[in-house]
Amino acid sequence: MAITVDAIMKLPIFKSTRLVGGSLGLGREVASANIADSPDIANWVRPHQLLLTTAYHYKDDPEGLIPFLHQLHANQCSGLAIKTKRYVDTLPKRLIEEADRLHFPLIELPNNMLLGDVINQILENVLNEKQHDLQKTLEVHSRFSDLYLKGASMSDIAQTLSLLIRGSVLILNSRYEPTGFSDSIKRKIKSAEFLDPIRIALKNASFQENTLTSVTWDRTHSADIYPVYISGIRKSFICVLDAASRSPHPFYTMPLEQASHIVAYEHMKQDALAEGEKRLRRQFFSDWLDNRLSKDEVLNRVKSYPIVDKAHYLICICEADATPDGHLLTDLELNARCERWLFQTTEFLEDYPGQAICEIKDKGIIIILPILIDSSAFDEKEYVDIFRKLQHRLLGENQHTTFSFGISNPIDQIAKIPQAFLEAKQTLDIGYTLKKKEFIHTYRTQQVTELIRSVPDNKLHDFYSSCLGELTSSDQPERQELLHTLEVFLNHESSIAETAKTMFLHRNTVQNRISRCEALLNMSVKDPIDTLKLRIALVIHRLI
């Protein structure tokens, strides 16, 4: 606890001294003392230093002490003690007035007082106080260190802190969930009425690392909040409840700082354990999906996960599409983004009735999604809609990044998951081969492409040219524009309105372009056979 000018004035040696000005500044901290009669000493004094002087250099101009006092105040000195009746007979009235105005303690020392004796008593008192503070700090540090070494819980940390600062303590994680609490609030901890106002107050407040912040709610409740950071990331809040209604404890901030270190160490330990578990989990899923594990090993290890043999699942792979500028991410950047996409995907699927499994593999997110009905009643569109909603969510939360999905056929055994993963991967790869982006393809869709690929190239070229020949000229932008409009039109179930909306065109413009295509190709978009030919030709257009 810092020693103040008021405490210094109560030392025995100061019994014969007199405080002549700045009485409202007696709370100023005194960290050291100095004796000086040099005229430029004001440039060298330290903050919280009490200066003792005989004012020798002002014996012919006592008024010169006024700017000298201003300099000391600007340098955050504790106060000024002047020995009178030797070089300066009386202190100027204006000097006393300035001391009062600045709340700067001005002390008059008797002529028979030895400045050396004064400074010795001051320094002895300051050092004793510092030694006491250090001893108290070591005791608090030892108590919290013992807790950490014994593997104590967050509630043990909160209770120890509560006893030290004489207040109720609540520890919340970064998601505002209670992780520890003192005995005094044990009965309230499960009450939403108790926790919700605190959570709202924290969400509306701003915090800085290593800084105590006060928050209030309901006009009658308050808390002092000490945030816990690790590498600049906020991990926890240590809350001292109803702090404003209690007298401040002399060692209030120091125990909070010590407790925050132990909470941070506990988070680091938990993070290290979680990181190890994550690496083992990720390696298991990678080996399993690549079919490098035996059936018995898989059945044994999946017991740790909500995966049931003989149940029905879909495997989906979600990857970020290549950026238009072709920018390549470093491994560190890609890993960080994949972790963010994994978190966003997992959060989205929390509302799904079944318990989905999400994990990172290579540069994509793997989703093992349980099918909630018998596979014979499986509705593919229903699950494609789920992934389309996820696609929109990811797009909204990741600017300038689009995502594509490859989905397997339904499976009904754990042993078939590696094959389903391969189907989803092949489906995704085919979509990228077709130079598409922001797509959702199922394995059934991919089978059509495989069928087309089995036809000899010369036959594909002949069919392609016979169907789209008039629109394939790369040196005529108008024809390329017509081809693109036709493709969008067919992909939107031959809807003029949806095509116009997607391409940001007027309906009449779309209608004119489709009519132009029909005239050039001598086909009708209303003829099912012509439409099928055009769809197949457009797939071939992507492949060749």
Side-chain angles (χ1 to χ4, degrees):
M1 184 175 65
I3 192 169
T4 63
V5 176
D6 186 49
I8 292 295
M9 291 295 295
K10 293 175 182 178
L11 294 177
I13 199 168
F14 275 81
K15 189 175 182 179
S16 59
T17 65
R18 188 167 67 97
L19 180 71
V20 295
S23 59
L24 295 180
L26 287 175
R28 290 190 180 221
E29 178 184 347
V30 179
S32 63
N34 198 2
I35 302 174
D37 274 321
S38 172
D40 62 347
I41 186 61
N43 299 321
W44 306 103
V45 292
R46 299 174 181 175
H48 311 304
Q49 193 170 68
L50 181 64
L51 188 64
L52 285 67
T53 182
T54 62
Y56 171 76
H57 285 280
Y58 300 97
K59 57 185 175 59
D60 297 325
D61 181 23
E63 295 289 330
L65 286 166
I66 297 172
F68 179 60
L69 181 138
H70 287 163
Q71 285 182 283
L72 296 179
H73 173 70
N75 289 338
Q76 299 179 10
C77 281
S78 305
L80 176 63
I82 302 175
K83 180 189 285 192
T84 57
K85 303 294 189 289
R86 185 172 183 184
Y87 299 112
V88 175
D89 190 47
T90 59
L91 298 179
K93 182 179 179 182
R94 284 187 56 222
L95 176 66
I96 297 172
E97 291 173 350
E98 282 301 291
D100 284 333
R101 186 180 69 83
L102 297 174
H103 301 168
F104 188 84
L106 181 62
I107 304 167
E108 183 179 4
L109 305 178
N111 186 36
N112 62 349
M113 181 174 285
L114 296 177
L115 297 186
D117 292 342
V118 176
I119 201 167
N120 284 339
Q121 276 209 25
I122 293 174
L123 293 179
E124 180 182 0
N125 193 266
V126 169
L127 290 175
N128 286 341
E129 192 64 31
K130 287 184 180 295
Q131 183 180 8
H132 177 262
D133 290 352
L134 179 60
Q135 184 63 36
K136 187 69 177 179
T137 301
L138 290 173
E139 290 175 3
V140 172
H141 177 75
S142 177
R143 290 186 67 173
F144 282 116
S145 296
D146 288 344
L147 287 176
Y148 179 72
L149 294 174
K150 292 176 181 177
S153 67
M154 289 288 193
S155 289
D156 293 329
I157 297 171
Q159 178 61 18
T160 300
L161 179 60
S162 174
L163 294 174
L164 288 169
I165 63 175
R166 302 167 195 164
S168 298
V169 175
L170 172 66
I171 301 176
L172 302 173
N173 61 20
S174 57
R175 297 186 298 277
Y176 308 101
E177 299 167 341
T179 57
F181 44 86
S182 58
D183 293 343
S184 55
I185 56 174
K186 185 182 294 185
R187 295 182 178 179
K188 303 178 183 178
I189 201 63
K190 293 184 179 180
S191 167
E193 185 179 353
F194 170 71
L195 286 174
D196 287 349
I198 300 174
R199 289 171 174 150
I200 294 170
L202 291 178
K203 290 177 182 179
N204 293 333
S206 58
F207 301 95
Q208 292 183 342
E209 193 168 355
N210 300 323
T211 303
L212 191 66
T213 302
S214 295
V215 299
T216 59
W217 64 95
D218 297 338
R219 296 184 180 180
T220 57
H221 294 88
S222 65
D224 285 343
I225 312 297
Y226 198 94
V228 179
Y229 286 79
I230 300 177
S231 301
I233 300 174
R234 192 168 62 221
K235 291 287 189 176
S236 274
F237 301 91
I238 300 177
C239 311
V240 183
L241 304 180
D242 293 327
S245 63
R246 298 179 292 100
S247 300
H249 191 274
F251 291 96
Y252 185 62
T253 305
M254 182 267 292
L256 281 167
E257 293 172 349
Q258 294 290 332
S260 74
H261 296 327
I262 303 305
V263 172
Y265 292 149
E266 187 63 26
H267 276 294
M268 292 170 65
K269 182 174 72 175
Q270 295 299 328
D271 288 348
L273 290 173
E275 185 64 28
E277 291 175 359
K278 181 174 71 176
R279 282 199 298 267
L280 290 174
R281 169 191 169 109
R282 200 156 287 174
Q283 186 62 51
F284 162 63
F285 274 92
S286 181
D287 291 343
W288 181 23
L289 296 175
D290 289 339
N291 210 16
R292 293 196 292 261
L293 301 176
S294 68
K295 181 180 179 180
D296 290 341
E297 187 174 2
V298 170
L299 291 174
N300 183 54
R301 295 184 65 176
V302 295
K303 292 177 182 177
S304 303
Y305 306 99
I307 300 176
V308 182
D309 198 13
K310 308 299 183 183
H312 298 87
Y313 294 96
L314 280 177
I315 308 300
C316 176
I317 303 176
C318 165
E319 286 189 8
D321 302 326
T323 56
D325 58 3
H327 173 67
L328 296 177
L329 299 175
T330 65
D331 289 344
L332 191 61
E333 290 173 328
L334 181 59
N335 289 339
R337 293 193 183 188
C338 282
E339 292 290 353
R340 184 172 70 248
W341 301 333
L342 175 64
F343 175 79
Q344 292 165 349
T345 301
T346 303
E347 187 177 50
F348 172 82
L349 290 173
E350 284 179 354
D351 295 331
Y352 182 71
Q355 195 164 359
I357 304 293
C358 304
E359 193 48 87
I360 295 173
K361 179 169 169 54
D362 301 326
K363 58 179 181 179
I365 307 301
I366 312 301
I367 303 170
I368 302 177
L369 190 73
I371 298 173
L372 303 179
I373 57 174
D374 186 86
S375 60
S376 61
F378 173 71
D379 181 2
E380 182 181 275
K381 185 177 182 301
E382 177 184 346
Y383 290 87
V384 169
D385 286 345
I386 292 172
F387 291 119
R388 183 165 286 112
K389 290 177 183 177
L390 172 59
Q391 186 183 52
H392 290 162
R393 172 75 69 86
L394 292 173
L395 181 63
E397 295 182 355
N398 300 275
Q399 292 185 355
H400 313 301
T401 304
T402 58
F403 297 83
S404 295
F405 292 73
I407 307 171
S408 73
N409 280 327
I411 57 169
D412 58 2
Q413 296 178 31
I414 286 179
K416 294 181 180 179
I417 284 183
Q419 178 59 35
F421 166 74
L422 189 59
E423 291 176 359
K425 182 63 176 171
Q426 289 174 350
T427 304
L428 191 68
D429 290 344
I430 289 297
Y432 285 135
T433 301
L434 294 172
K435 300 178 182 179
K436 292 187 175 183
K437 69 174 187 176
E438 205 171 344
F439 61 85
I440 298 177
H441 283 182
T442 65
Y443 189 66
R444 288 185 178 84
T445 304
Q446 183 263 340
Q447 289 170 349
V448 174
T449 306
E450 288 296 298
L451 183 62
I452 293 174
R453 282 180 173 277
S454 67
V455 178
D457 287 348
N458 62 325
K459 297 289 186 181
L460 293 178
H461 277 281
D462 289 345
F463 182 85
Y464 168 73
S465 298
S466 68
C467 291
L468 298 176
E470 292 296 330
L471 298 181
T472 58
S473 178
S474 60
D475 58 350
Q476 296 187 44
E478 179 194 358
R479 299 292 174 88
Q480 292 296 309
E481 189 177 68
L482 290 174
L483 181 62
H484 177 58
T485 304
L486 178 62
E487 183 176 16
V488 174
F489 175 74
L490 293 174
N491 286 342
H492 286 80
E493 300 178 354
S494 301
S495 169
I496 294 292
E498 289 300 317
T499 304
K501 181 179 178 182
T502 300
M503 298 185 69
F504 302 102
L505 296 174
H506 193 275
R507 290 168 55 96
N508 291 343
T509 303
V510 174
Q511 182 65 64
N512 291 336
R513 288 184 183 180
I514 297 301
S515 297
R516 178 73 173 146
C517 289
E518 289 179 313
L520 287 171
L521 300 176
N522 194 27
M523 290 186 179
S524 172
V525 294
K526 296 180 181 179
D527 187 312
I529 300 300
D530 285 349
T531 301
L532 177 60
K533 288 179 179 179
L534 291 172
R535 288 182 181 277
I536 295 173
L538 288 168
V539 172
I540 296 172
H541 172 69
R542 294 282 186 176
L543 291 173
I544 61 177

